[in-house]
Amino acid sequence: MDFPRSLRALLTELIDYAGLFPPARLEMPAAVANYAAYRAGDLRWMLGRFIVPSAGLDAFEGAVAAYLPKSREADPWPVSLLGSDDPVHDAELIFGFNERHARTAVGRAVIDTLEVKATGVPELERAVRSAPAGVAVYVEIPVRDDPADLIAAAAGLGARVKVRTGGITPDAFPSLRDLARFIRSAADQGVPFKATAGLHHPLRGTYALTYEPASETATMYGYLNVFLAALFAQAGLQIGELERILAETDVRTFRFDDHGVTCHAWHADLDDITRLRARGAVAFGSCSFTEPVDDLAHLMGAA
């Protein structure tokens, strides 16, 4: 399916593949094989990094050896390491991995992103300061209370932030107000962010929380809602207006063409999308690549 240029700009390298994590919970060989197939597919332009926990890095190296490019001209596989409670050890893992995989004989891959958690400023500072130079650090922070101080601390250290937008239980989803406040605060302080969990679908709606036949359902955020809210936050929209975008359930409200996107009375042209996307929401982690992509194709075809 052909996507309008504005939608393609919004979605480029959008989905970090987290097939090892729930609800998919794939074994390492299956997750690596999936990622290799997605990298070779027609929609590889939507694919971001492979997410691996620090405890699984050895297993990842074993499973990925047969797939990695061995030409210096080829792009290395981009990897995001999900950090442990020991940031110094994580830094050592990253340094060793990158040193090994800079050699073409081993296969080209690079850990260029580290994802950690922090609930307070001292914890955030320790995690970020321990990260190797040249590695982008995303700090997952709580958003139930005003996250401005944590976002400011990340900004002061040149780090980015991460927000949990769902999970496999209804209480894992932040409120509209809390998510809109997080997006507004990140934009105010010039801090890019990524999202994780609960964004398997492009549009807000009620969906199954897991892949089990009798799965509980919940109202989930759509990734179009989240990324357009982040885009328009960069253009100055305030919390109430961002809540309106996050709550939208009618795809016809989001009008994409080759020149830009319009949502209600707000418009961003193609250059705005490209420029503001890098400064706002960068990516989201998903245990499925096909579900967000297939749902989008169906949604655009029905719009």
Side-chain angles (χ1 to χ4, degrees), residues 135-217:
V135 174
V137 183
Y138 286 89
V139 186
E140 182 181 329
I141 60 174
V143 298
R144 186 164 294 176
D145 296 322
D146 189 348
D149 288 347
L150 287 167
I151 295 174
L157 294 167
R160 302 176 174 195
V161 287
K162 175 180 169 184
V163 61
R164 187 159 294 272
T165 44
I168 57 175
T169 58
D171 61 357
F173 293 80
S175 71
L176 282 166
R177 173 57 53 131
D178 288 346
L179 184 54
R181 180 179 60 191
F182 167 86
I183 293 172
R184 179 67 263 157
S185 185
D188 286 341
Q189 301 192 58
V191 179
F193 73 89
K194 72 171 291 185
T196 187
L199 294 180
H200 283 208
H201 307 279
L203 197 65
R204 182 173 172 85
T206 301
Y207 305 101
L209 288 168
T210 72
Y211 298 130
E212 298 299 322
S215 172
E216 187 177 2
T217 62

Side-chain angles (χ1 to χ4, degrees), residues 96-133:
F97 180 94
N98 287 347
E99 188 175 57
R100 288 190 297 277
H101 289 278
R103 300 194 295 269
T104 55
V106 179
R108 303 266 287 149
V110 60
I111 299 175
D112 61 1
T113 301
L114 172 64
E115 302 180 35
V116 296
K117 292 183 179 182
T119 57
V121 172
E123 185 182 9
L124 184 152
E125 291 176 340
R126 177 171 175 260
V128 174
R129 286 176 174 153
S130 299

Side-chain angles (χ1 to χ4, degrees), residues 48-286:
R49 291 161 177 79
F50 186 96
I51 301 177
V52 60
S54 60
L57 193 57
D58 286 345
F60 172 72
E61 286 198 81
V64 80
Y67 297 99
L68 292 180
K70 292 184 169 58
S71 165
R72 188 158 295 280
E73 288 71 37
D75 291 332
W77 274 33
V79 179
S80 182
L81 187 75
L82 197 63
S84 68
D85 293 331
D86 187 346
V88 174
H89 179 62
D90 292 338
E92 293 171 350
L93 288 178
I94 293 170
F95 181 83
F97 180 94
N98 287 347
E99 188 175 57
R100 288 190 297 277
H101 289 278
R103 300 194 295 269
T104 55
V106 179
R108 303 266 287 149
V110 60
I111 299 175
D112 61 1
T113 301
L114 172 64
E115 302 180 35
V116 296
K117 292 183 179 182
T119 57
V121 172
E123 185 182 9
L124 184 152
E125 291 176 340
R126 177 171 175 260
V128 174
R129 286 176 174 153
S130 299
V135 174
V137 183
Y138 286 89
V139 186
E140 182 181 329
I141 60 174
V143 298
R144 186 164 294 176
D145 296 322
D146 189 348
D149 288 347
L150 287 167
I151 295 174
L157 294 167
R160 302 176 174 195
V161 287
K162 175 180 169 184
V163 61
R164 187 159 294 272
T165 44
I168 57 175
T169 58
D171 61 357
F173 293 80
S175 71
L176 282 166
R177 173 57 53 131
D178 288 346
L179 184 54
R181 180 179 60 191
F182 167 86
I183 293 172
R184 179 67 263 157
S185 185
D188 286 341
Q189 301 192 58
V191 179
F193 73 89
K194 72 171 291 185
T196 187
L199 294 180
H200 283 208
H201 307 279
L203 197 65
R204 182 173 172 85
T206 301
Y207 305 101
L209 288 168
T210 72
Y211 298 130
E212 298 299 322
S215 172
E216 187 177 2
T217 62
T219 300
M220 303 171 74
Y221 289 102
Y223 60 83
L224 288 182
N225 302 76
V226 171
F227 279 74
L228 283 173
L231 177 73
F232 286 112
Q234 295 289 322
L237 267 63
Q238 297 303 304
I239 290 175
E241 297 164 316
L242 297 177
E243 285 187 77
R244 186 180 178 192
I245 295 175
L246 291 170
E248 186 57 62
T249 59
D250 187 349
V251 69
R252 293 171 296 182
T253 302
F254 304 146
R255 298 185 296 280
F256 294 93
D257 58 32
D258 284 341
H259 305 288
V261 58
T262 300
C263 174
H264 296 297
W266 310 302
H267 178 80
D269 64 27
L270 190 61
D271 289 340
D272 290 334
I273 297 171
T274 302
R275 176 172 51 86
L276 298 179
R277 163 77 192 285
R279 289 166 43 190
V282 177
F284 72 92
S286 172

